[in-house]
């Protein structure tokens, strides 16, 4: 990374793989289901504290990164992926919290698609794959329903070599996705 470039948030660690250009090569081995982002162009990754403040910061930094990558703040792509990110990080804080452990957000841009991944360390709390609508008087339970309706695909992958899971969502940006 170019050391002459000022860090936008001096109190936060530099994001892994955030070069603004081509990201480092993906690790060798099988590609997890849903991870088929053709031709990785950019990547942003960072860990956040598992608090509402950490979730808010993650959502804001994803929106900021999308703007830097050519998806302006008020564009449907930025607004949609920021909303999806907000729901996933909110779930990581609310349902995936393990005291003393952070959650990780990875945002990638591939040819024609954006993908956001949120990883937490709580392996036994896996979201249901069917996002059924909760009863009308329920105060929660609509986050993954929103994700399933806005994203072109989403899923859950168990972590290997460490406890936890990764919840991911993919959004097409070439005009075929629901955000366009």
């Amino acid at each position: 990374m170019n050391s002459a470039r000022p860090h936008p948030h001096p109190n936060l660690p530099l994001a892994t793989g955030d070069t603004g250009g081509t990201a480092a090569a993906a690790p060798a081995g099988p590609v997890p289901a849903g991870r088929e982002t053709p031709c990785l162009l950019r990547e942003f990754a960072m860990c956040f504290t598992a608090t509402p403040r950490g979730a808010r910061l993650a959502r804001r930094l994803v929106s900021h990164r999308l703007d830097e990558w050519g998806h302006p703040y008020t564009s449907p792509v930025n607004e949609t992926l920021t909303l999806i990110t907000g729901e996933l990080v909110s779930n990581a804080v609310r349902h995936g919290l393990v005291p003393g452990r952070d959650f990780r957000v990875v945002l990638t841009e591939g040819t024609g698609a954006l993908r956001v991944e949120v990883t937490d360390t709580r392996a036994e709390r896996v979201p249901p794959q069917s996002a059924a609508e909760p009863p009308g008087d329920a105060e929660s339970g609509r986050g993954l329903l929103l994700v399933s309706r806005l994203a072109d695909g989403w899923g859950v992958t168990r972590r290997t070599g460490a406890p936890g899971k990764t919840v991911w969502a993919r959004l097409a940006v070439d005009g075929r996705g629901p955000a366009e």
Side-chain angles (χ1 to χ4, degrees), residues 113-178:
L114 289 161
R115 179 183 167 94
V116 65
E117 301 175 1
V118 178
T119 302
D120 64 55
T121 54
R122 189 123 188 224
E124 73 278 6
R125 301 277 315 254
V126 177
Q129 283 296 292
S130 64
E133 192 161 342
D137 59 346
E139 294 183 13
S140 63
R142 291 175 181 81
L144 289 177
L145 181 62
L146 284 172
V147 170
S148 70
R149 301 264 168 91
L150 293 172
D152 292 307
W154 76 278
V156 181
T157 315
R158 292 202 181 272
R159 292 176 69 189
T160 55
K165 65 190 169 298
T166 299
V167 183
W168 59 268
R170 183 177 24 82
L171 183 65
V173 292
D174 57 0
R176 293 179 305 189

Side-chain angles (χ1 to χ4, degrees), residues 23-28 35 40:
R35 186 75 197 231
L40 181 64

Side-chain angles (χ1 to χ4, degrees), residues 26-178:
V31 175
R35 186 75 197 231
E36 315 84 15
T37 303
C39 189
L40 181 64
L41 301 175
R42 298 180 184 104
E43 181 179 71
F44 166 77
M46 188 177 281
C47 290
F48 299 90
T49 59
T51 63
R53 186 176 184 173
R56 182 174 58 249
L57 180 59
R59 179 180 48 80
R60 292 185 70 176
L61 287 178
V62 163
S63 179
H64 180 69
R65 193 60 43 163
L66 288 169
D67 180 65
E68 285 183 350
W69 291 353
H71 306 284
Y73 291 112
T74 57
S75 70
V77 167
N78 192 313
E79 290 178 345
T80 301
L81 202 59
T82 299
L83 176 60
I84 290 169
T85 301
E87 294 300 333
L88 297 182
V89 298
S90 202
N91 283 349
V93 169
R94 185 171 185 180
H95 305 293
L97 176 65
V98 173
R101 300 291 177 109
D102 294 342
F103 67 90
R104 179 178 171 87
V105 174
V106 178
L107 174 67
T108 55
E109 183 173 28
T111 307
L114 289 161
R115 179 183 167 94
V116 65
E117 301 175 1
V118 178
T119 302
D120 64 55
T121 54
R122 189 123 188 224
E124 73 278 6
R125 301 277 315 254
V126 177
Q129 283 296 292
S130 64
E133 192 161 342
D137 59 346
E139 294 183 13
S140 63
R142 291 175 181 81
L144 289 177
L145 181 62
L146 284 172
V147 170
S148 70
R149 301 264 168 91
L150 293 172
D152 292 307
W154 76 278
V156 181
T157 315
R158 292 202 181 272
R159 292 176 69 189
T160 55
K165 65 190 169 298
T166 299
V167 183
W168 59 268
R170 183 177 24 82
L171 183 65
V173 292
D174 57 0
R176 293 179 305 189

Side-chain angles (χ1 to χ4, degrees), residues 1-5 7 14-20 65:
M1 177 168 266
N2 184 351
S3 60
R5 187 172 125 197
H7 191 287
L14 287 172
T16 331
D18 181 22
T19 62
R65 193 60 43 163

